[in-house]
Structure formats: C-alpha cells, structure tokens
C-alpha cells in the first residue's frame, strides 16, 4: 500500500507501473481484538490516491463491497472509456477488466447515474466483461436474496450480470433492454425470475426491439403454454438468435405445437433446450417438424450429438441416457435414426427407460436399418409387451450380428418372442438376454429356438447365482459336458474346521450333492475328463477322490507332509484308462497318484518354495508346476525335470 501511495503522490510516476497487481479489494474498516482496525486502507488512503490506484493498475477483478468513494469508481470507468476512445481499434491501448462488483458502494446520486451509464458503455465497448450491482446503481434497496428479475447481459462471450431490482415495470424493463441493445449487448438471461404468462407479454414487447440478440435464457419460469403463445411474436424478430433456453417452464405438448412455426423460422439457431417441460410423443413430433429445416442446429437439450446425426451419414449412434438425461423424445430420436438408415451399423440405446410405448414409435425406424450390425437395448423397460412390438423390426435386421436385450424384464414370454423373431437371422453371432427373469425352464425353450443359428458364438440367457456355501468359496470346476459345477471352500465353522464341497445343477442353480470328508478348508477342485469323478485338495494335507454320481468317497490320497496344505490338483487327460492325478503342496513337492487305488506313483522334488499350481499337458506326457518366480516341467512317467522357466517377478498362481 505504501509503495502505491508513494507513486500516487509523485505525478511523474503515474505511468501504470504496477503490472503485477490484478486484484484490488476495498473493505470498510472493522475493529479487531487488539483495538486496531482491519482493512484500514480505505480510511487512511486519500481519495486522489484511490483514484490513481484504480486507474493505473492492470486490474482483472475489482471488488468494492462497502466502498465509500463512488467518485473514484466513476473516474476508473471514465479512464477505461477514454483510453478506448482515444485509440480505437488499438489492441495495445485497450485495457480490459474481467469483472467488477459494485454492490453496497456508498455513491452520491450523480455517481449512481454516471456509473449505470458507464457500466453499460464499457461492456458495449468490450473493456468490461462482468458487473454486479446495477440494482444499487438504479436506486433499488439492496438485499441478500437475488432480485426477482435478473438480467445477464453479454457481449462477445463475456457475461455482464446486472440485477435490475425488484418489481420492474414493463416500461423499465423495456428501457433497460433498449439501452443494452444500443450498447451492442447480445446476451439476455431471465432464468428463475417468476415470469408468468402475463409477464411474458412485457418481456416479448421488449425483445421485439432487440433484433441483434444472439442468446436468450428464459428457463425455470413456469410460464406454461400460454406464455409460449405470448412469446411467439418476439421470436419472429430475433433473426440472429443462436441459443434459446426454454427449459423447465411447463410448456407441454400444447406449447410445442404453438412454438413450432416460430422455431422453424429461426434459421440461425444452434442450441435449443426444452428439458423439464413434460413434452410427450405428440409434442416431440411437433418439435421435430420445426427442427427439420434448421441446418445450423447442433445441440438439443444439452446433447451435442444432435448435429452430427441430423446431417446423416453416421455409422455409429451411441445414445446412452438420451431419453433420461437429455429428455430427448423418442419421435426426435426415431427421425434421426431414419436420416442414417442406409449407413448406420451400430446403435446403442441402452439405459434410456424405453418402454412399450417408445418401442411402438421406434419400431418403424429400426425396421429400415438395413446395414445395422450391432443393437444395444439393454437396461430399459421393454417388458413382454415392448418386446412384442419390437419383434417385427428385429426380424427385418438382415445384417444384425450382435443384439443385447439384457435387463429389460422380458420374462419367459418376452425372451421367447425375441428368440422367435431372430430364428431366421443367420448372421446373428451374439445374443444377450440375461437378467430378464426368464426362469429355470426358459433355458431349454430359448435354446431350441436358436439351434438353427450356425454363427451364434456368444449367448447369455441368465446369470444364475449358486447360493449355499456357509463361507468363502476357494475353488470351482465345470463338469466336462457343462451340466454341473462343483465348488468348495470354507466350512460353517471357518478356517481350521471341516471344509465343504457342493455339486450344482448348472441350468437351474439347484444344489444336488454335498460332499463331506475333509477336516479343513478345501483349496482346489477338478472334475475328471470323463465326468465320473471329482478330485479335491485341502489344507488337511490330503487329496480325495469322489464318485460324482453318488457323492461317495472313492479314495483318500495321503503322502504330502502333514501340516502343509495341498494347494492344487489336476487329472491326466487319459484318466478314463489309467486314472492318474497330480497334486502340489506347500511342502514344496509335486506328487502323482493312481486315483483308483490311492497308491503314490512319483514324488517330484525341485521347488524351493511352496507349490501353488499344477497342470497336466493335453497329451499326458508332461506335468507343469508353479511356485515363486518359476515354472518347472516334469516327465509324467519318469519324473525327470525337463525344463525350468524363470521370468516372473513374483508368485505364479
């Protein structure tokens, strides 16, 4: 402060030297605990020095809450304007302030009048971007709450906030708008100001004289369909309008029908927001008709993909949450789809709350997508009725290879209808209809309908949850024919107590067998290649062999060092004949067994850490075992170590 004051007292130094200061804030002094004052600059700084500080600094932000010298602010704005007027068009001479907060400043009456005019002139000249406090400049009583009528004025992309005060008359509002228009301001926001259908008449009357306006925000006013009718005459004069926000106004379908002719004539429009207006299918049909000729329109309801699709020629259309987040009507989406019907190959409409009624509208558009290869309708609300309405369109998609209808509450009837409509589509390679409450009996029904699909590689019907284990599941294995699953892990009493093994029906999720015999947690399970037996390994240092049909214990294989867990087990591929098993243990050994008799065959010793995994090769001649940082390969008959593989940096599992 002292440095600035010394320059203010020396006229020769008034050359805007403080290039590093870009923020000045004046507050009225407040007493502190020590009896002194905080923020005393205003009290101690001469008026002339304050004018100098405001005029000479390269300010970007000026905050003047409770500032006592309005004359200094007037001088500041006059300096801005004179600097611009003396060197018009010179970027070097142009000073620009991004924002100025002038609320609660103690102005003289003449200062208020001057500042009100200067603020708008500075904005129009491009040297002031944002100002708050016009309510005080116009003699309105300040308050903590925003004024009911707020105007945001903008020139060249930089907003100018001006709170114009409470209960403005239509004449006052029109006068202010005319003044802003004269100053070259092109941006108006009247969001959340309680403008009803009657007040909209006064707004429209002022807008008629603002033909250069480029952005108009009338959101959150709830003026309803009648307000739309009152707004229409003004829209006809806004020939330069690029952005129009009418969201959350209760426009409804009737308001859309009224707005249609006026909207269709705003050829400069690039952004339109109609969210939160309760527009149904009829309303969107009217809107689509109005938008069809607006070639510059690129964004609707905050969705920037509209322009791309509207132009046609798009190959992929991803519109997740388009109906829910952006509230795009299904009629609008259907029209966009049809614009791209000859080339669209991927269509993603997942998570859009599409129900039976939306399916009816979409059906005609989908049926024309002759090039479509991938369609995602997952996580919607189709239900059986929606699926029935969609089926005729699905049957027309001759190039379709991937279809996702998961999580749509189809039920067995809906899934059966979908499968029937797809029966002749020989190109279909992937179908997902899981999480649709098809039920246990639905698997066979749907699979029979799809048996003719020679190219169907991926098929998801249901995601069954096999629930019944009392503790953690440590291992699971499929029966070779895919009809059953065996799983095992921690028993009811936890670690150190008998483990549990369960056999499940893979189609229904029902428990078929519970195998009990291990005295500790089950760590590994393998089904034999012929599906007749199950091998299990446990923390109790044993391997057990079970009859898969009856659940009876066939053999217990003991030989690993007591107190060390058997961590892995595998069958030889020729188990139907020789019935051999291999197991690995925390005792650092690998052992092979005759599964029929329980006799030990080979003990393979070579690891320096516990064995974590074992596997028999497909021709039965070799065994691989894994441990810390290495894999060893053994001869399955001789037990000789054939190879040591070392490249891992940690445990191999």
């Amino acid at each position: 402060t002292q440095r600035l004051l010394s320059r203010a007292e020396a006229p020769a130094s008034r050359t805007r030297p403080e290039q590093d200061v870009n923020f000045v804030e004046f507050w009225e002094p407040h007493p502190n605990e020590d009896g002194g004052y905080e923020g005393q600059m205003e009290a101690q700084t001469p008026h002339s020095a304050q004018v100098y500080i405001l005029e000479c600094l390269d300010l970007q932000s000026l905050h003047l809450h409770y500032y006592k010298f309005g004359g200094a602010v007037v001088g500041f704005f006059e300096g801005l304007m004179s600097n611009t007027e003396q060197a018009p068009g010179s970027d070097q001479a142009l000073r620009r302030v991004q924002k100025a907060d002038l609320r609660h400043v103690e102005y003289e009456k003449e200062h208020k009048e001057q500042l009100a005019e200067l603020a708008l002139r500075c904005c129009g000249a491009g040297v002031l971007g944002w100002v708050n406090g016009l309510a005080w400049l116009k003699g309105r009583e300040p308050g903590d709450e925003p004024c009911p009528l707020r105007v945001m004025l903008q020139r060249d992309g930089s907003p100018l906030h001006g709170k114009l005060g409470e209960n403005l008359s239509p004449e006052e509002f029109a006068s202010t708008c005319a003044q802003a228009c004269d100053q070259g301001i092109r941006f108006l926001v009247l969001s959340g100001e309680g403008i009803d259908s009657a007040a909209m008449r006064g707004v429209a009357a002022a807008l008629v004289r603002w033909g250069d306006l480029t952005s108009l925000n009338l959101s959150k006013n709830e003026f309803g369909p009648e307000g739309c009718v009152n707004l229409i005459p003004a829209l006809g004069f806004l020939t330069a309008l690029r952005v129009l926000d009418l969201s959350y106004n209760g426009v409804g379908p009737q308001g859309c029908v009224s707005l249609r002719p006026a909207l269709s004539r705003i050829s400069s429009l690039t952004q339109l927001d109609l969210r939160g207006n309760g527009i149904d299918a009829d309303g969107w049909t009217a809107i689509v008709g109005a938008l069809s000729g607006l070639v510059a329109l690129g964004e609707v309801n905050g969705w920037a993909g509209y322009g791309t699709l509207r132009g046609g020629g798009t190959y992929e259309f991803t519109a997740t949450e388009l109906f829910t987040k952006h509230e795009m009507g299904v009629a609008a989406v259907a029209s966009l789809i049809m614009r791209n019907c000859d080339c669209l190959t991927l269509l993603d409409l997942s998570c859009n709350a599409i129900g039976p009624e939306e399916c009816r509208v979409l059906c005609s558009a989908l049926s024309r997508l002759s090039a479509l290869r991938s369609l995602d309708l997952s996580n919607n609300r189709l239900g059986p009725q929606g699926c029935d309405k969609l089926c005729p369109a699905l049957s027309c998609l001759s190039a379709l290879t991937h279809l996702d209808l998961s999580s749509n509450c189809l039920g067995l009837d809906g899934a059966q209808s979908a499968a029937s409509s797809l029966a002749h589509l020989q190109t279909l390679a992937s179908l997902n209809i899981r999480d649709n409450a098809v039920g246990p009996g639905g698997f066979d029904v749907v699979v029979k309908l799809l048996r003719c699909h020679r190219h169907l590689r991926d098929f998801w019907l249901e995601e069954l949850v096999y629930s019944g284990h009392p503790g953690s599941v440590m291992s699971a294995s499929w029966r070779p024919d895919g009809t059953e699953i065996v799983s095992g892990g921690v028993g009811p009493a936890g670690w150190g107590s008998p483990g549990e093994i369960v056999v499940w029906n893979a189609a229904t999720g029902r428990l078929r067998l519970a195998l009990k015999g291990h005295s500790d947690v089950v760590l590994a399970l393998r089904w034999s290649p012929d599906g007749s037996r199950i091998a299990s390994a446990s923390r109790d240092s044993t391997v057990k062999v079970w009859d898969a049909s009856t659940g009876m214990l066939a053999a217990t294989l003991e030989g690993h060092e007591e107190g060390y867990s058997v961590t892995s087990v595998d069958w030889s591929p020729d188990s139907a004949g020789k019935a051999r098993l291999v197991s690995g243990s925390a005792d650092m050994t690998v052992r092979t067994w005759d599964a029929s008799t329980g006799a030990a065959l080979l003990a393979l010793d070579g690891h320096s850490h516990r064995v974590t995994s074992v596997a028999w090769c497909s021709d039965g001649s070799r065994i691989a075992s894994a441990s810390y940082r290495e894999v060893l390969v053994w001869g399955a008959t001789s037990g000789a170590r054939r190879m040591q593989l070392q490249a891992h940096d940690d445990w191999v599992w």
Side-chain angles (χ1 to χ4, degrees), residues 152-177:
M152 180 189 292
L153 309 170
Q154 178 172 354
R155 182 183 186 277
D156 298 332
S158 301
L160 168 65
H161 289 274
K163 295 186 176 180
L164 299 183
E166 300 181 1
N167 303 318
L168 282 183
S169 68
E171 292 76 16
E172 288 178 306
F173 175 73
S175 174
T176 303
C177 288

PDB file of all heavy atoms in Angstrom, residues 152-177:
ATOM      1  N   MET A 152     -28.849 -10.920 -17.342  1.00  0.00           N
ATOM      2  CA  MET A 152     -27.439 -11.157 -17.607  1.00  0.00           C
ATOM      3  C   MET A 152     -27.180 -10.714 -19.041  1.00  0.00           C
ATOM      4  O   MET A 152     -27.780 -11.225 -19.984  1.00  0.00           O
ATOM      5  CB  MET A 152     -27.079 -12.642 -17.468  1.00  0.00           C
ATOM      6  CG  MET A 152     -25.592 -12.939 -17.740  1.00  0.00           C
ATOM      7  SD  MET A 152     -25.267 -14.705 -17.832  1.00  0.00           S
ATOM      8  CE  MET A 152     -25.569 -15.179 -16.143  1.00  0.00           C
ATOM      9  N   LEU A 153     -26.355  -9.746 -19.195  1.00  0.00           N
ATOM     10  CA  LEU A 153     -26.076  -9.184 -20.497  1.00  0.00           C
ATOM     11  C   LEU A 153     -24.673  -9.580 -20.922  1.00  0.00           C
ATOM     12  O   LEU A 153     -23.756  -9.599 -20.106  1.00  0.00           O
ATOM     13  CB  LEU A 153     -26.194  -7.659 -20.440  1.00  0.00           C
ATOM     14  CG  LEU A 153     -27.499  -7.123 -19.824  1.00  0.00           C
ATOM     15  CD1 LEU A 153     -27.410  -5.649 -19.598  1.00  0.00           C
ATOM     16  CD2 LEU A 153     -28.656  -7.472 -20.724  1.00  0.00           C
ATOM     17  N   GLN A 154     -24.499  -9.876 -22.172  1.00  0.00           N
ATOM     18  CA  GLN A 154     -23.202 -10.350 -22.623  1.00  0.00           C
ATOM     19  C   GLN A 154     -22.842  -9.775 -23.980  1.00  0.00           C
ATOM     20  O   GLN A 154     -23.688  -9.638 -24.848  1.00  0.00           O
ATOM     21  CB  GLN A 154     -23.191 -11.886 -22.703  1.00  0.00           C
ATOM     22  CG  GLN A 154     -21.874 -12.432 -23.212  1.00  0.00           C
ATOM     23  CD  GLN A 154     -21.830 -13.932 -23.092  1.00  0.00           C
ATOM     24  OE1 GLN A 154     -22.713 -14.534 -22.535  1.00  0.00           O
ATOM     25  NE2 GLN A 154     -20.802 -14.520 -23.634  1.00  0.00           N
ATOM     26  N   ARG A 155     -21.584  -9.483 -24.121  1.00  0.00           N
ATOM     27  CA  ARG A 155     -21.062  -9.045 -25.408  1.00  0.00           C
ATOM     28  C   ARG A 155     -19.805  -9.842 -25.703  1.00  0.00           C
ATOM     29  O   ARG A 155     -18.910  -9.932 -24.884  1.00  0.00           O
ATOM     30  CB  ARG A 155     -20.719  -7.553 -25.382  1.00  0.00           C
ATOM     31  CG  ARG A 155     -20.225  -7.036 -26.726  1.00  0.00           C
ATOM     32  CD  ARG A 155     -19.841  -5.576 -26.608  1.00  0.00           C
ATOM     33  NE  ARG A 155     -19.505  -5.033 -27.910  1.00  0.00           N
ATOM     34  CZ  ARG A 155     -18.305  -5.164 -28.462  1.00  0.00           C
ATOM     35  NH1 ARG A 155     -17.357  -5.829 -27.843  1.00  0.00           N
ATOM     36  NH2 ARG A 155     -18.062  -4.645 -29.654  1.00  0.00           N
ATOM     37  N   ASP A 156     -19.745 -10.439 -26.885  1.00  0.00           N
ATOM     38  CA  ASP A 156     -18.577 -11.201 -27.324  1.00  0.00           C
ATOM     39  C   ASP A 156     -18.201 -12.293 -26.334  1.00  0.00           C
ATOM     40  O   ASP A 156     -17.029 -12.501 -26.033  1.00  0.00           O
ATOM     41  CB  ASP A 156     -17.375 -10.274 -27.552  1.00  0.00           C
ATOM     42  CG  ASP A 156     -17.647  -9.260 -28.649  1.00  0.00           C
ATOM     43  OD1 ASP A 156     -18.454  -9.585 -29.533  1.00  0.00           O
ATOM     44  OD2 ASP A 156     -17.060  -8.173 -28.608  1.00  0.00           O
ATOM     45  N   GLY A 157     -19.186 -12.975 -25.802  1.00  0.00           N
ATOM     46  CA  GLY A 157     -18.915 -14.136 -24.970  1.00  0.00           C
ATOM     47  C   GLY A 157     -18.578 -13.848 -23.525  1.00  0.00           C
ATOM     48  O   GLY A 157     -18.340 -14.758 -22.762  1.00  0.00           O
ATOM     49  N   SER A 158     -18.521 -12.578 -23.090  1.00  0.00           N
ATOM     50  CA  SER A 158     -18.183 -12.254 -21.708  1.00  0.00           C
ATOM     51  C   SER A 158     -19.423 -11.751 -20.996  1.00  0.00           C
ATOM     52  O   SER A 158     -19.985 -10.723 -21.378  1.00  0.00           O
ATOM     53  CB  SER A 158     -17.095 -11.179 -21.659  1.00  0.00           C
ATOM     54  OG  SER A 158     -15.941 -11.622 -22.317  1.00  0.00           O
ATOM     55  N   PRO A 159     -19.905 -12.457 -19.955  1.00  0.00           N
ATOM     56  CA  PRO A 159     -21.189 -12.109 -19.342  1.00  0.00           C
ATOM     57  C   PRO A 159     -21.132 -10.817 -18.541  1.00  0.00           C
ATOM     58  O   PRO A 159     -20.132 -10.490 -17.919  1.00  0.00           O
ATOM     59  CB  PRO A 159     -21.479 -13.304 -18.432  1.00  0.00           C
ATOM     60  CG  PRO A 159     -20.133 -13.854 -18.114  1.00  0.00           C
ATOM     61  CD  PRO A 159     -19.295 -13.635 -19.333  1.00  0.00           C
ATOM     62  N   LEU A 160     -22.218 -10.091 -18.560  1.00  0.00           N
ATOM     63  CA  LEU A 160     -22.386  -8.886 -17.743  1.00  0.00           C
ATOM     64  C   LEU A 160     -23.649  -9.067 -16.912  1.00  0.00           C
ATOM     65  O   LEU A 160     -24.755  -9.034 -17.422  1.00  0.00           O
ATOM     66  CB  LEU A 160     -22.514  -7.642 -18.628  1.00  0.00           C
ATOM     67  CG  LEU A 160     -22.975  -6.365 -17.925  1.00  0.00           C
ATOM     68  CD1 LEU A 160     -21.938  -5.924 -16.920  1.00  0.00           C
ATOM     69  CD2 LEU A 160     -23.232  -5.278 -18.930  1.00  0.00           C
ATOM     70  N   HIS A 161     -23.476  -9.329 -15.629  1.00  0.00           N
ATOM     71  CA  HIS A 161     -24.622  -9.510 -14.748  1.00  0.00           C
ATOM     72  C   HIS A 161     -25.149  -8.143 -14.343  1.00  0.00           C
ATOM     73  O   HIS A 161     -24.390  -7.282 -13.937  1.00  0.00           O
ATOM     74  CB  HIS A 161     -24.213 -10.269 -13.485  1.00  0.00           C
ATOM     75  CG  HIS A 161     -23.908 -11.696 -13.719  1.00  0.00           C
ATOM     76  ND1 HIS A 161     -24.861 -12.673 -13.716  1.00  0.00           N
ATOM     77  CD2 HIS A 161     -22.738 -12.318 -13.988  1.00  0.00           C
ATOM     78  CE1 HIS A 161     -24.296 -13.839 -13.946  1.00  0.00           C
ATOM     79  NE2 HIS A 161     -23.002 -13.649 -14.115  1.00  0.00           N
ATOM     80  N   GLY A 162     -26.419  -7.959 -14.413  1.00  0.00           N
ATOM     81  CA  GLY A 162     -26.982  -6.710 -13.928  1.00  0.00           C
ATOM     82  C   GLY A 162     -28.286  -6.985 -13.222  1.00  0.00           C
ATOM     83  O   GLY A 162     -29.281  -7.305 -13.851  1.00  0.00           O
ATOM     84  N   LYS A 163     -28.313  -6.932 -11.886  1.00  0.00           N
ATOM     85  CA  LYS A 163     -29.544  -7.133 -11.149  1.00  0.00           C
ATOM     86  C   LYS A 163     -30.319  -5.825 -11.179  1.00  0.00           C
ATOM     87  O   LYS A 163     -29.907  -4.832 -10.581  1.00  0.00           O
ATOM     88  CB  LYS A 163     -29.230  -7.572  -9.731  1.00  0.00           C
ATOM     89  CG  LYS A 163     -28.563  -8.939  -9.681  1.00  0.00           C
ATOM     90  CD  LYS A 163     -28.388  -9.426  -8.261  1.00  0.00           C
ATOM     91  CE  LYS A 163     -27.815 -10.829  -8.259  1.00  0.00           C
ATOM     92  NZ  LYS A 163     -27.631 -11.349  -6.895  1.00  0.00           N
ATOM     93  N   LEU A 164     -31.417  -5.843 -11.865  1.00  0.00           N
ATOM     94  CA  LEU A 164     -32.115  -4.595 -12.154  1.00  0.00           C
ATOM     95  C   LEU A 164     -33.112  -4.189 -11.072  1.00  0.00           C
ATOM     96  O   LEU A 164     -33.791  -3.186 -11.198  1.00  0.00           O
ATOM     97  CB  LEU A 164     -32.823  -4.704 -13.495  1.00  0.00           C
ATOM     98  CG  LEU A 164     -31.904  -4.945 -14.696  1.00  0.00           C
ATOM     99  CD1 LEU A 164     -32.693  -4.955 -15.966  1.00  0.00           C
ATOM    100  CD2 LEU A 164     -30.825  -3.887 -14.757  1.00  0.00           C
ATOM    101  N   GLY A 165     -33.250  -5.006 -10.025  1.00  0.00           N
ATOM    102  CA  GLY A 165     -34.101  -4.581  -8.931  1.00  0.00           C
ATOM    103  C   GLY A 165     -35.432  -5.300  -8.903  1.00  0.00           C
ATOM    104  O   GLY A 165     -35.777  -6.072  -9.787  1.00  0.00           O
ATOM    105  N   GLU A 166     -36.192  -5.041  -7.859  1.00  0.00           N
ATOM    106  CA  GLU A 166     -37.449  -5.724  -7.652  1.00  0.00           C
ATOM    107  C   GLU A 166     -38.605  -5.017  -8.368  1.00  0.00           C
ATOM    108  O   GLU A 166     -38.642  -3.795  -8.446  1.00  0.00           O
ATOM    109  CB  GLU A 166     -37.744  -5.808  -6.155  1.00  0.00           C
ATOM    110  CG  GLU A 166     -36.681  -6.566  -5.381  1.00  0.00           C
ATOM    111  CD  GLU A 166     -37.013  -6.639  -3.910  1.00  0.00           C
ATOM    112  OE1 GLU A 166     -38.080  -6.112  -3.532  1.00  0.00           O
ATOM    113  OE2 GLU A 166     -36.219  -7.211  -3.160  1.00  0.00           O
ATOM    114  N   ASN A 167     -39.544  -5.838  -8.834  1.00  0.00           N
ATOM    115  CA  ASN A 167     -40.806  -5.331  -9.362  1.00  0.00           C
ATOM    116  C   ASN A 167     -40.629  -4.289 -10.462  1.00  0.00           C
ATOM    117  O   ASN A 167     -41.246  -3.219 -10.444  1.00  0.00           O
ATOM    118  CB  ASN A 167     -41.660  -4.731  -8.232  1.00  0.00           C
ATOM    119  CG  ASN A 167     -41.928  -5.743  -7.140  1.00  0.00           C
ATOM    120  OD1 ASN A 167     -42.211  -6.906  -7.441  1.00  0.00           O
ATOM    121  ND2 ASN A 167     -41.833  -5.322  -5.904  1.00  0.00           N
ATOM    122  N   LEU A 168     -39.767  -4.576 -11.398  1.00  0.00           N
ATOM    123  CA  LEU A 168     -39.601  -3.662 -12.528  1.00  0.00           C
ATOM    124  C   LEU A 168     -40.882  -3.616 -13.347  1.00  0.00           C
ATOM    125  O   LEU A 168     -41.492  -4.644 -13.622  1.00  0.00           O
ATOM    126  CB  LEU A 168     -38.450  -4.120 -13.427  1.00  0.00           C
ATOM    127  CG  LEU A 168     -37.017  -3.831 -12.961  1.00  0.00           C
ATOM    128  CD1 LEU A 168     -36.052  -4.289 -14.021  1.00  0.00           C
ATOM    129  CD2 LEU A 168     -36.833  -2.354 -12.702  1.00  0.00           C
ATOM    130  N   SER A 169     -41.239  -2.455 -13.748  1.00  0.00           N
ATOM    131  CA  SER A 169     -42.394  -2.327 -14.632  1.00  0.00           C
ATOM    132  C   SER A 169     -41.992  -2.732 -16.045  1.00  0.00           C
ATOM    133  O   SER A 169     -40.799  -2.733 -16.388  1.00  0.00           O
ATOM    134  CB  SER A 169     -42.880  -0.876 -14.642  1.00  0.00           C
ATOM    135  OG  SER A 169     -41.910  -0.044 -15.269  1.00  0.00           O
ATOM    136  N   PRO A 170     -42.941  -3.102 -16.894  1.00  0.00           N
ATOM    137  CA  PRO A 170     -42.599  -3.417 -18.289  1.00  0.00           C
ATOM    138  C   PRO A 170     -41.864  -2.275 -18.972  1.00  0.00           C
ATOM    139  O   PRO A 170     -40.977  -2.506 -19.794  1.00  0.00           O
ATOM    140  CB  PRO A 170     -43.971  -3.678 -18.927  1.00  0.00           C
ATOM    141  CG  PRO A 170     -44.845  -4.116 -17.797  1.00  0.00           C
ATOM    142  CD  PRO A 170     -44.368  -3.337 -16.610  1.00  0.00           C
ATOM    143  N   GLU A 171     -42.229  -1.032 -18.611  1.00  0.00           N
ATOM    144  CA  GLU A 171     -41.561   0.106 -19.231  1.00  0.00           C
ATOM    145  C   GLU A 171     -40.089   0.180 -18.820  1.00  0.00           C
ATOM    146  O   GLU A 171     -39.209   0.448 -19.637  1.00  0.00           O
ATOM    147  CB  GLU A 171     -42.275   1.408 -18.851  1.00  0.00           C
ATOM    148  CG  GLU A 171     -43.674   1.558 -19.449  1.00  0.00           C
ATOM    149  CD  GLU A 171     -44.695   0.695 -18.719  1.00  0.00           C
ATOM    150  OE1 GLU A 171     -44.404   0.235 -17.588  1.00  0.00           O
ATOM    151  OE2 GLU A 171     -45.794   0.471 -19.287  1.00  0.00           O
ATOM    152  N   GLU A 172     -39.845  -0.036 -17.508  1.00  0.00           N
ATOM    153  CA  GLU A 172     -38.461  -0.017 -17.036  1.00  0.00           C
ATOM    154  C   GLU A 172     -37.644  -1.122 -17.695  1.00  0.00           C
ATOM    155  O   GLU A 172     -36.496  -0.920 -18.098  1.00  0.00           O
ATOM    156  CB  GLU A 172     -38.423  -0.185 -15.516  1.00  0.00           C
ATOM    157  CG  GLU A 172     -38.906   1.022 -14.737  1.00  0.00           C
ATOM    158  CD  GLU A 172     -38.888   0.758 -13.245  1.00  0.00           C
ATOM    159  OE1 GLU A 172     -39.501  -0.246 -12.818  1.00  0.00           O
ATOM    160  OE2 GLU A 172     -38.262   1.536 -12.517  1.00  0.00           O
ATOM    161  N   PHE A 173     -38.236  -2.309 -17.773  1.00  0.00           N
ATOM    162  CA  PHE A 173     -37.522  -3.428 -18.384  1.00  0.00           C
ATOM    163  C   PHE A 173     -37.234  -3.144 -19.859  1.00  0.00           C
ATOM    164  O   PHE A 173     -36.126  -3.361 -20.346  1.00  0.00           O
ATOM    165  CB  PHE A 173     -38.351  -4.706 -18.245  1.00  0.00           C
ATOM    166  CG  PHE A 173     -37.749  -5.890 -18.947  1.00  0.00           C
ATOM    167  CD1 PHE A 173     -36.631  -6.520 -18.433  1.00  0.00           C
ATOM    168  CD2 PHE A 173     -38.296  -6.366 -20.129  1.00  0.00           C
ATOM    169  CE1 PHE A 173     -36.065  -7.601 -19.079  1.00  0.00           C
ATOM    170  CE2 PHE A 173     -37.740  -7.439 -20.787  1.00  0.00           C
ATOM    171  CZ  PHE A 173     -36.619  -8.075 -20.255  1.00  0.00           C
ATOM    172  N   ALA A 174     -38.237  -2.637 -20.574  1.00  0.00           N
ATOM    173  CA  ALA A 174     -38.050  -2.344 -21.990  1.00  0.00           C
ATOM    174  C   ALA A 174     -36.984  -1.279 -22.193  1.00  0.00           C
ATOM    175  O   ALA A 174     -36.163  -1.359 -23.115  1.00  0.00           O
ATOM    176  CB  ALA A 174     -39.375  -1.896 -22.611  1.00  0.00           C
ATOM    177  N   SER A 175     -36.966  -0.257 -21.302  1.00  0.00           N
ATOM    178  CA  SER A 175     -35.969   0.806 -21.410  1.00  0.00           C
ATOM    179  C   SER A 175     -34.564   0.261 -21.199  1.00  0.00           C
ATOM    180  O   SER A 175     -33.617   0.610 -21.920  1.00  0.00           O
ATOM    181  CB  SER A 175     -36.268   1.900 -20.383  1.00  0.00           C
ATOM    182  OG  SER A 175     -35.236   2.865 -20.380  1.00  0.00           O
ATOM    183  N   THR A 176     -34.418  -0.618 -20.197  1.00  0.00           N
ATOM    184  CA  THR A 176     -33.107  -1.208 -19.929  1.00  0.00           C
ATOM    185  C   THR A 176     -32.648  -2.068 -21.100  1.00  0.00           C
ATOM    186  O   THR A 176     -31.483  -2.032 -21.504  1.00  0.00           O
ATOM    187  CB  THR A 176     -33.166  -2.057 -18.649  1.00  0.00           C
ATOM    188  OG1 THR A 176     -33.620  -1.249 -17.574  1.00  0.00           O
ATOM    189  CG2 THR A 176     -31.793  -2.618 -18.310  1.00  0.00           C
ATOM    190  N   CYS A 177     -33.554  -2.878 -21.647  1.00  0.00           N
ATOM    191  CA  CYS A 177     -33.204  -3.721 -22.788  1.00  0.00           C
ATOM    192  C   CYS A 177     -32.799  -2.877 -23.993  1.00  0.00           C
ATOM    193  O   CYS A 177     -31.851  -3.209 -24.712  1.00  0.00           O
ATOM    194  CB  CYS A 177     -34.378  -4.622 -23.157  1.00  0.00           C
ATOM    195  SG  CYS A 177     -34.678  -5.952 -21.977  1.00  0.00           S
TER     196      CYS A 177
END
